[in-house]
Amino acid sequence: MSFPPRLAHLATRAVVVAKLGPTYAAAHSLDSEESAQRLSTALSGRLLTSLLDATWAQMLGATKRLTEDGLLEKVAATLGDRPQRPGKVATTTPGWSAFLVLVDLEAGTASDAARRVMESDEGRKRGAAGLTEVATFLAAELTRGK
């Protein structure tokens, strides 16, 4: 499934970094500036596209009443005046941990051992599950407003 282009215009890299930043910072014991820098680097490539794709799928699966256009309007209303409002700090689960390792790999801060683990079949499976879990969180963050 491919997300509509408008979602990428609303949920820009900066917006996604703001929503995921507090959890990333808490999990790595980083300040918000360092966290934002690492996330921004990691989300400058294919990881952002994969995350938005999974987020769109979660949004569509979570609503029965809204059309795609209505859902995009809800995202626009939620982001409103403060699109870069920090997201909540999520509880770190195994899925979140796997996603955070993917972020570290994309940012270039993960070890070779972490890279080897994530390249294994089990690592890819856990990474995919983590992406889905974080997409569920991001979908909630993008639609919880007005």
Side-chain angles (χ1 to χ4, degrees):
M1 168 182 292
S2 183
F3 58 90
R6 185 168 181 216
L7 181 62
H9 292 288
L10 294 168
T12 62
R13 180 171 31 143
V15 169
V16 175
V17 166
K19 300 301 180 194
L20 302 182
T23 302
Y24 187 83
H28 286 72
S29 301
L30 298 171
D31 64 27
S32 60
E33 193 173 303
E34 178 70 19
S35 169
Q37 183 179 17
R38 286 186 188 182
L39 271 168
S40 185
T41 299
L43 294 172
S44 63
R46 61 190 159 102
L47 187 56
L48 179 60
T49 303
S50 298
L51 182 58
L52 288 178
D53 221 7
T55 300
W56 183 246
Q58 293 301 316
M59 286 177 174
L60 289 175
T63 186
K64 300 276 189 258
R65 299 176 298 152
L66 295 176
T67 63
E68 289 186 10
D69 288 338
L71 196 51
L72 290 168
E73 285 304 317
K74 185 170 184 173
V75 172
T78 298
L79 296 176
D81 297 333
R82 294 188 57 203
Q84 294 184 28
R85 172 190 221 152
K88 296 178 183 175
V89 176
T91 303
T92 306
T93 63
W96 263 96
S97 295
F99 177 78
L100 296 175
V101 172
L102 290 175
V103 169
D104 290 342
L105 287 169
E106 291 294 321
T109 59
S111 67
D112 286 337
R115 181 175 305 281
R116 285 191 300 274
V117 167
M118 294 308 286
E119 288 174 349
S120 71
D121 287 341
E122 183 66 22
R124 281 192 289 277
K125 194 182 316 176
R126 289 186 185 262
L131 186 70
T132 300
E133 187 173 333
V134 173
T136 302
F137 171 84
L138 185 57
E141 285 289 314
L142 293 174
T143 58
R144 70 179 165 130
K146 304 170 184 171

